Amino acid sequence: MCLGIPGEVIEILTDRPDLAKVDVCGVKRNINIGLLEGEELNAGDWVLIHVGFAMSKIDEREAASALEFLEGIGQAYAEELAALADSEAHRG
Amino acid sequence: MRFVDEFRDADKALALSAKISELCEPGRHYKFMEVCGGHTHTIYKHGLEDYLPDSVQLVHGPGCPVCVIPMGRVDDAIAIAEEPDVIMTSFGDMMRVPGGRGSFFDSNAAGADIRMVYSPLDALKIAQANPAKRVVFMAIGFETTAPSTAMTVLRAEAMGLENFSLFCNHVTIIPAIKAILDSPDLRLDGFVGPGHVSTVIGCRPYEFIARDHGKPLVCAGFEPLDILQSVYMLMLQLHEGRSEVENQYSRVVPWDGNPKALEVIARTMQLRPYFEWRGLGFISHSALQMRPEYARFDAERIFDVPGVRVADPKACQCGEVLKGVLKPWECKVFGTACTPETPIGTCMVSSEGACAAYYNFGRFSRERVKSATRTVDIELSPAPS
Amino acid sequence: MRGDTAESPTAPAAEQSRANWAEDAVAEHAGAEHLTREELVLERIERARRRKARVKEPRITMSHGAGGKASRTLTEAIFLDAFSNPVLEELEDAASLTVGGAQLAFSTDSFVVSPLFFPGGNIGDLAINGTVNDLAMTGARPLFLSAGFILEEGFPVEDLRRIVASMAAAAAAAGVTVVTGDTKVVQRGKGDGCYINTAGVGVLEREVSLRASGVRPGDAVLVSGPIGEHGVTILLARGELDIEADLDSDTAPLNELAAVLLDAVPGVRMMRDATRGGVATILNEIAVAAQVSVVVDESAVPMLPVVTGACELLGIDPLYVACEGRFVTVVDSEQAEAALAALRGHPLGAGAAIIGRIKDDPPGLVLLKTSFGGTRIVDLLVGDPLPRIC
């Protein structure tokens, strides 16, 4: 029920400006973008889809920084593991 | 899938898991409640608990809007569906929920016309295509879904539809969290906060939890890394002696919510003085109903609903499971009288309920299963040329 | 009107009743000891699940046709109970019979798919391929089919012509002949256009005994291609979801592919085609029949991106989505690579993959190692996410 899925905006429908065609992994559906009134929405933007409505425009900068944090942690962890393996090797 | 796969990366999960373990004080146990049904589902579907140290426990809260609908309300919906010329429409996960006499599926078997829809807008289409029928939409969900229902009503109004109405069972999240916080037998260290509800209401409404109750809350996304990162952020807050609301799901959740969504809800709906939550009892100002100006779209005004309360069997311990006091398997009727096919109470009724999620996904002895899956050596087949 | 008064939350309406079905369920298990250890609770659940099947509902619901728990209960409690005989009790895809020295396979399948025509085929293709596949899964060579039609008054003859033409083409492609049939017509409103039943007979010329109970710990589990295409195609073709996708049903005759596998690899334990209830249902059947655990690696299960996308969008688990041209096979681990190569050598098996292993513990369960690295079980389907799928 909380089901929200990210999808990419393909086109805003000219005859129905409250609808946009959105693509999720090759599956396309018309989504109501009325809840994003006031926000600029263009083809190539990503939105969060829930029961046929776009709830929020995905902030790519925030997404990138979230991933950066995760990459950073992953990197630090990998380095720690490598350091541990190294020290084990030296001990042995 | 973009914005999904990156947040399901196993390597990053290991890293986060290590960082969480580092923050665990020896001898201390941590209990965090995750409120959203969607979070419960993700945790079990991806096997997230395998990444948490034994001293960190996730407890499942009342954030499953299907689960909290009392049996009597299901009976009311069925009564509407059984009126002549009615087509009832509903989300898929409501179809199996049993009321006092049976579920929507059972009703169809007995001759009603209850159809599954993906969006309330689909119900509008059915109404347009069937002018001689009265089409009713079973509206459920927290603040995540209420705006979609509201937009649908506004669209029905704009289209001048005369044969469409909705049976409003929208509930609000803050009163449910308050009920948890006011519960005497509960000991929580913090909350994995709602994700999609927060896209609508923003993060401010949770500030009282951190400020007045001293419990940190992190709004979390729905991919497994989102939840794991949120647990890490909670542990960090505890470690640093902070108690704040943080937004892990910032790629989707705006701090101030969605003003348009809040506006359409306010235009079409108002708070009920009280509403019964299955497992939690009556909570005041915790649910929505149609405003009088929209009476012609309100199924409760158009149809006669019996309004009979159906009590859960005395053996049902959902109230305690919902508050995180009992684990699913600790309930006396778990797995015997109460199974996904015969769900006695709210926690088993939808696949997002704590007991259903545990039964469907997690019902195994962790050690035996870990040994079975770890020693499985499946060389991933090389990609077909 | 409810919810309109200013009553305090602690003084609600006086009327209250109880749900009889829930009270009965509790009473049935009354007196059961309250166990305090998780292990004991899980054991008790397993015992409860092994109890004799009983249909509790007074009426048939859509769940009974979904291929999951309810279907299984119906089969055991009503059909097995009445017809009881050792051949039926095997509940394999086709019955194995010995008649006058010949080993025969005999199977039947009914088709109620809606809509009748969809991308990749129509009900006629399903009707021929479905029964051909059931026979092929026993290792038999499918030979002769029957075709029974139940037509609704008002059904366009042109549509019937199209369906039957497809059936003729599918039969030719599969190397089988439709040798007998029947037609009935019901009044308008009493049958959804066209329902078809096919039954088939094949001959088992190989020295094989393929059954789910023959699976052993250590064996490898393979799937012949990407999953979920038929189910998602049908769901989208219904047009109610307003979704566009470039996807066709995977309906296909699997007898050639099965023969290729059996020729190349002597250690095939069993084959079963994944129809309603999807791959997850087959894996559960294996786990229960052989009392083994089936461990699957989620990232090894092949799936087209568009199937992944549609399932995520609709909140459906692709493991439970119907296929109509894919089978699951379990082979001796030493021959897993050879089996894979054999399957991939045939056009219908190009996307084949090794998806898991058989272990001995915990018996009767299907375990999934998620792509995230965690574990969960894959239980039998409850309810019916995709009605009238085949």
Side-chain angles (χ1 to χ4, degrees):
Chain A
M1 258 306 309
C2 300
L3 206 60
I5 264 305
E8 185 180 358
V9 175
I10 309 278
E11 65 171 290
I12 317 274
L13 301 194
T14 40
D15 55 332
R16 282 285 304 279
D18 61 338
L19 292 182
K21 185 176 284 222
V22 170
D23 178 304
V24 178
C25 240
V27 177
K28 300 179 194 20
R29 195 197 139 108
N30 288 343
I31 296 292
N32 190 305
I33 52 172
L35 292 171
L36 300 182
E37 188 185 84
E39 278 200 67
E40 208 197 297
L41 205 60
N42 297 307
D45 285 339
W46 282 72
V47 291
L48 185 82
I49 306 161
H50 172 71
V51 302
F53 287 83
M55 304 295 301
S56 163
K57 185 169 146 190
I58 297 185
D59 186 329
E60 303 224 13
R61 264 191 358 241
E62 289 289 342
S65 87
L67 282 176
E68 248 176 67
F69 168 78
L70 292 171
E71 294 277 342
I73 283 214
Q75 183 77 335
Y77 181 65
E79 280 165 14
E80 255 180 69
L81 283 184
L84 186 67
D86 252 354
S87 72
E88 293 282 347
H90 282 133
R91 222 172 313 161
Chain B
M1 285 186 64
R2 218 185 139 197
F3 297 115
V4 168
D5 291 342
E6 314 90 304
F7 294 94
R8 291 187 186 178
D9 188 316
D11 294 326
K12 299 192 177 73
L14 283 171
L16 274 172
S17 175
K19 292 216 92 72
I20 291 172
S21 293
E22 271 169 39
L23 291 170
C24 288
E25 275 171 41
R28 186 171 164 185
H29 287 268
Y30 301 85
K31 223 179 189 181
F32 300 117
M33 174 173 277
E34 44 86 3
V35 179
C36 271
H39 285 147
T40 313
H41 193 85
T42 296
I43 289 164
Y44 279 109
K45 185 177 149 181
H46 294 273
L48 197 104
E49 286 186 323
D50 287 357
Y51 284 98
L52 292 175
D54 288 337
S55 54
V56 176
Q57 205 186 90
L58 287 177
V59 138
H60 313 297
C64 165
V66 171
C67 305
V68 298
I69 295 179
M71 282 200 271
R73 288 294 278 184
V74 177
D75 288 349
D76 288 345
I78 291 178
I80 296 174
E82 287 174 348
E83 294 265 343
D85 300 319
V86 168
I87 301 176
M88 172 67 81
T89 55
S90 157
F91 292 137
D93 29 10
M94 266 315 294
M95 299 293 290
R96 276 202 310 121
V97 175
R101 291 179 294 122
S103 67
F104 286 179
F105 266 148
D106 297 323
S107 249
N108 275 341
D113 189 351
I114 306 181
R115 304 186 196 180
M116 214 184 309
V117 290
Y118 162 70
S119 164
L121 294 172
D122 296 338
L124 275 192
K125 283 209 193 85
I126 295 178
Q128 270 185 294
N130 294 275
K133 298 272 190 179
R134 297 180 287 174
V135 175
V136 182
F137 175 64
M138 172 99 181
I140 59 170
F142 284 97
E143 292 95 329
T144 325
T145 321
S148 305
T149 303
M151 292 287 284
T152 303
V153 170
L154 292 174
R155 184 130 183 88
E157 184 184 42
M159 287 162 65
L161 270 187
E162 313 236 304
N163 63 334
F164 175 77
S165 63
L166 51 105
F167 184 43
C168 191
N169 288 285
H170 285 300
V171 284
T172 54
I173 197 82
I174 296 294
I177 298 181
K178 281 208 179 105
I180 300 292
L181 288 167
D182 291 338
S183 172
D185 37 2
L186 190 55
R187 209 148 311 192
L188 290 176
D189 294 295
F191 288 87
V192 173
H196 294 138
V197 166
S198 310
T199 62
V200 174
I201 69 176
C203 302
R204 278 184 218 291
Y206 310 113
E207 282 168 358
F208 78 97
I209 300 169
R211 187 189 59 228
D212 303 337
H213 293 264
K215 312 280 181 209
L217 183 143
V218 176
C219 289
F222 291 87
E223 295 308 321
L225 279 183
D226 288 322
I227 299 176
L228 213 50
Q229 184 184 358
S230 302
V231 172
Y232 167 65
M233 288 165 75
L234 285 166
M235 293 293 289
L236 198 59
Q237 283 206 39
L238 291 177
H239 180 75
E240 293 175 358
R242 290 182 287 130
S243 176
E244 292 164 9
V245 175
E246 290 182 294
N247 184 5
Q248 184 276 337
Y249 201 19
S250 54
R251 64 189 186 274
V252 161
V253 173
W255 193 267
D256 293 314
N258 183 328
K260 171 77 183 182
L262 292 167
E263 190 251 312
V264 296
I265 296 178
R267 209 193 310 173
T268 55
M269 302 178 200
Q270 62 191 20
L271 280 172
R272 295 176 190 268
Y274 60 87
F275 193 68
E276 185 182 5
W277 289 55
R278 196 169 176 187
L280 289 178
F282 283 82
I283 306 182
S284 65
H285 301 108
S286 62
L288 297 167
Q289 61 185 157
M290 304 304 297
R291 295 197 89 101
E293 309 88 272
Y294 287 91
R296 66 198 186 287
F297 297 109
D298 186 353
E300 270 171 290
R301 287 180 158 98
I302 298 170
F303 299 94
D304 251 320
V305 282
V308 174
R309 291 184 59 220
V310 179
D312 288 338
K314 288 208 172 61
C316 175
Q317 298 182 276
C318 279
E320 289 156 280
V321 177
L322 272 178
K323 292 187 207 140
V325 171
L326 276 189
K327 297 193 195 58
W329 56 267
E330 288 173 330
C331 166
K332 287 196 203 75
V333 285
F334 176 80
T336 50
C338 190
T339 65
E341 291 151 272
T342 56
I344 299 292
T346 144
C347 301
M348 188 64 90
V349 127
S350 146
S351 60
E352 291 183 353
C355 295
Y358 175 74
Y359 189 100
N360 286 326
F361 295 133
R363 187 189 77 247
F364 49 76
S365 156
R366 213 150 268 284
E367 290 69 42
R368 277 162 89 188
V369 153
K370 272 194 177 151
S371 108
T373 52
R374 287 256 160 97
T375 55
V376 161
D377 190 17
I378 302 167
E379 299 95 47
L380 289 188
S381 325
S385 43
Chain C
M1 281 174 290
R2 287 181 66 217
D4 222 276
T5 63
E7 284 173 38
S8 85
T10 48
E15 250 196 295
Q16 231 198 96
S17 76
R18 295 206 164 263
N20 292 329
W21 63 269
E23 301 297 336
D24 289 346
V26 174
E28 205 184 309
H29 295 265
E33 192 199 329
H34 182 202
L35 302 170
T36 49
R37 280 182 48 224
E38 190 177 7
E39 277 278 0
L40 297 176
V41 174
L42 295 177
E43 264 170 57
R44 183 167 68 191
I45 292 175
E46 285 313 304
R47 270 182 279 131
R49 283 159 72 90
R50 282 199 285 267
R51 276 153 67 143
K52 183 167 153 64
R54 217 167 33 98
V55 178
K56 297 190 179 124
E57 303 87 354
R59 279 187 242 266
I60 297 295
T61 71
M62 293 307 291
S63 300
H64 292 118
K69 251 185 212 157
S71 300
R72 181 87 191 187
T73 305
L74 190 75
T75 304
E76 288 176 12
I78 306 229
F79 301 120
L80 270 187
D81 197 53
F83 299 137
S84 75
N85 65 74
V87 179
L88 185 59
E89 266 143 38
E90 301 250 331
L91 287 181
E92 292 287 332
D93 277 351
S96 298
L97 308 161
T98 313
V99 180
Q103 292 277 94
L104 300 178
F106 179 40
S107 178
T108 185
D109 218 334
S110 299
F111 297 87
V112 297
V113 67
S114 170
L116 294 170
F117 298 92
F118 44 82
N122 60 57
I123 187 176
D125 295 284
L126 298 187
I128 297 293
N129 293 333
T131 294
V132 161
N133 294 346
D134 282 343
L135 294 171
M137 294 295 103
T138 60
R141 183 160 60 94
L143 290 171
F144 304 114
L145 258 56
S146 70
F149 294 82
I150 299 177
L151 303 170
E152 186 188 5
E153 179 186 22
F155 185 60
V157 172
E158 188 45 47
D159 283 352
L160 182 62
R161 243 192 261 278
R162 277 173 69 193
I163 290 170
V164 173
S166 296
M167 290 172 80
V176 298
T177 334
V178 176
V179 296
T180 182
D182 178 67
T183 310
K184 295 284 186 292
V185 180
V186 294
Q187 288 109 323
R188 195 182 297 269
K190 305 281 185 193
D192 208 354
C194 172
Y195 297 141
I196 307 178
N197 168 278
T198 48
V201 127
V203 65
L204 187 59
E205 292 152 323
R206 296 170 188 272
E207 284 293 315
V208 280
S209 170
L210 301 173
R211 32 182 54 83
S213 50
V215 147
R216 296 171 217 166
D219 286 348
V221 182
L222 289 86
V223 75
S224 70
I227 68 172
E229 286 157 39
H230 177 77
V232 173
T233 300
I234 295 297
L235 203 54
L236 303 187
R238 290 202 181 134
E240 296 155 355
L241 296 170
D242 217 4
I243 287 176
E244 286 166 44
D246 200 2
L247 186 63
D248 286 343
S249 165
D250 55 13
T251 177
L254 295 171
N255 47 336
E256 244 182 50
L257 188 60
V260 155
L261 177 66
L262 291 170
D263 286 339
V265 172
V268 176
R269 312 280 191 229
M270 56 82 65
M271 297 184 294
R272 214 172 263 194
D273 64 333
T275 57
R276 317 166 284 184
V279 166
T281 298
I282 309 291
L283 298 178
N284 271 285
E285 288 170 1
I286 296 172
V288 168
Q291 282 299 294
V292 291
S293 106
V294 180
V295 183
V296 176
D297 190 335
E298 189 175 34
S299 37
V301 179
M303 225 182 304
L304 292 180
V306 64
V307 170
T308 311
C311 289
E312 287 276 347
L313 193 59
L314 299 166
I316 305 169
D317 188 338
L319 286 174
Y320 296 98
V321 176
C323 312
E324 280 287 330
R326 302 282 182 240
F327 66 88
V328 172
T329 179
V330 178
V331 309
D332 184 329
S333 60
E334 311 263 302
Q335 295 156 38
E337 291 301 329
L340 187 66
L343 289 171
R344 285 190 177 171
H346 188 282
L348 285 175
I354 301 175
I355 64 168
R357 283 275 150 213
I358 304 293
K359 306 278 284 180
D360 56 357
D361 191 63
L365 280 188
V366 178
L367 307 178
L368 189 76
K369 189 157 161 242
T370 70
S371 23
F372 185 62
T375 31
R376 71 163 223 249
I377 63 175
V378 179
D379 205 356
L380 260 186
L381 183 62
V382 178
D384 189 1
L386 300 179
R388 302 268 305 277
I389 215 72
C390 55

